[in-house]
Amino acid sequence: DIVMTQSPDSLSVSLGERATINCKSSQSVLSSSNNENYLAWYQQKPGQPPKLLIYWASTRESGVPDRFSGSGSGTDFTLTINSLQAEDVAVYYCQQYFITPPITFGPGTKVDIK
Amino acid sequence: EVQLVESGGGLIQPGGSLRLSCAASGFTVSSNYMSWVRQAPGKGLEWVSIIYTAGSTYYADSVKGRFTISRDTSKNTLYLQMNSLRAEDTAVYYCARVWGDAAKYFNYWGRGTLVTVSS
């Protein structure tokens, strides 16, 4: 199974500043056949279900603000939130879909306002 | 508009059984890969099960042999039959639509139903 880890566990960021969340997979999730990274990011606000933000490591889901961006390849990935807004307070999860089953998630990173 | 509405959760004693339902609208359940994901109180997301369009089913090791995923085409509904429930199965259970075979990420989620296993 591919194990996903995230860092930090939590971070506090001032409004308008940048938040950076890291995700690491225990083996590469980059496909040699299509050169795609099988990695998604989700946002979960308190009391709500998760919401898809990014797939293929860097493709933003329709309707997601462009302050959210994903990067990375192979085993190391980053979710960046530029100019943090109050509504971005949430827990963020990465998920790999390269080798399934099982589908595996990272443990989550909690983002709040400093 | 795509909607997923879970039901069937509640308080159940250890060793008991429960069936969760996920009523879908705005798309056809049988034409999509569908999955269940759970979240224990204060914890992260854990994938539970998936059913492919062709009917193949897969489970997390933690539930294999105890849980069964299925669907009813006539009702456009996804199910999760949960048997031999344990305290560690306590969680909010979400049903989610999978984008597809080529990319098993979850593009739509229900609001979840809470299952509490306790005596």
Side-chain angles (χ1 to χ4, degrees), chain A residues 38 40 42 44 47-50 52 55-56 61 93 95 97 100-103 105, chain B residues 37 39 43-47 50 52 58 94 102-107 109-111:
Chain A
Y38 285 56
Y42 300 86
Q44 187 177 32
Q48 296 186 18
L52 176 67
Y55 52 95
W56 298 127
E61 173 73 333
Y93 297 92
Q95 175 231 323
Y97 48 96
T100 66
I103 295 166
F105 292 91
Chain B
V37 177
Q39 186 170 36
K43 303 297 184 183
L45 302 170
E46 180 189 16
W47 172 76
I50 190 168
Y52 292 0
Y58 299 91
Y94 298 102
K104 297 181 184 67
Y105 58 82
F106 307 105
N107 56 356
W109 297 69
R111 297 202 61 85

Side-chain angles (χ1 to χ4, degrees), chain B:
Chain B
E1 180 193 4
V2 170
Q3 279 199 328
L4 296 165
V5 179
E6 301 93 338
S7 61
L11 176 62
I12 186 78
Q13 291 190 338
S17 298
L18 212 54
R19 188 178 81 157
L20 306 183
S21 301
C22 173
S25 57
F27 73 100
T28 301
V29 164
S30 59
S31 299
N32 287 267
Y33 286 33
M34 297 293 296
S35 200
W36 289 95
V37 177
R38 69 184 180 183
Q39 186 170 36
K43 303 297 184 183
L45 302 170
E46 180 189 16
W47 172 76
V48 172
S49 182
I50 190 168
I51 184 167
Y52 292 0
T53 51
S56 301
T57 58
Y58 299 91
Y59 301 90
D61 286 346
S62 58
V63 307
K64 201 173 295 180
R66 301 188 298 123
F67 289 12
T68 303
I69 190 172
S70 64
R71 64 193 177 203
D72 185 325
T73 302
S74 65
K75 295 182 179 178
N76 206 33
T77 298
L78 179 73
Y79 300 101
L80 185 67
Q81 177 67 44
M82 305 186 296
N83 299 329
S84 303
L85 282 161
R86 307 167 179 166
E88 54 265 36
D89 296 318
T90 294
V92 173
Y93 285 73
Y94 298 102
C95 75
R97 193 179 88 171
V98 180
W99 188 89
D101 177 53
K104 297 181 184 67
Y105 58 82
F106 307 105
N107 56 356
Y108 290 97
W109 297 69
R111 297 202 61 85
T113 186
L114 175 62
V115 173
T116 303
V117 184
S118 175
S119 54

Side-chain angles (χ1 to χ4, degrees), chain A residues 2-78:
Chain A
I2 297 180
V3 177
M4 307 299 292
T5 56
Q6 289 182 231
S7 63
D9 294 336
S10 63
L11 74 162
S12 295
V13 178
S14 300
L15 289 173
E17 297 301 306
R18 176 181 299 168
T20 300
I21 300 167
N22 301 300
C23 172
K24 191 174 182 70
S25 55
S26 61
Q27 61 190 93
S28 176
V29 297
L30 173 63
S31 170
S32 57
S33 62
N34 61 7
N35 204 37
E36 292 281 4
N37 287 283
Y38 285 56
L39 190 285
W41 287 97
Y42 300 86
Q43 174 193 64
Q44 187 177 32
K45 297 181 180 180
Q48 296 186 18
K51 172 189 173 183
L52 176 67
L53 292 178
I54 286 170
Y55 52 95
W56 298 127
S58 61
T59 301
R60 208 177 299 116
E61 173 73 333
S62 174
V64 173
D66 60 8
R67 64 180 180 274
F68 292 91
S69 63
S71 63
S73 185
T75 61
D76 293 279
F77 301 90
T78 299

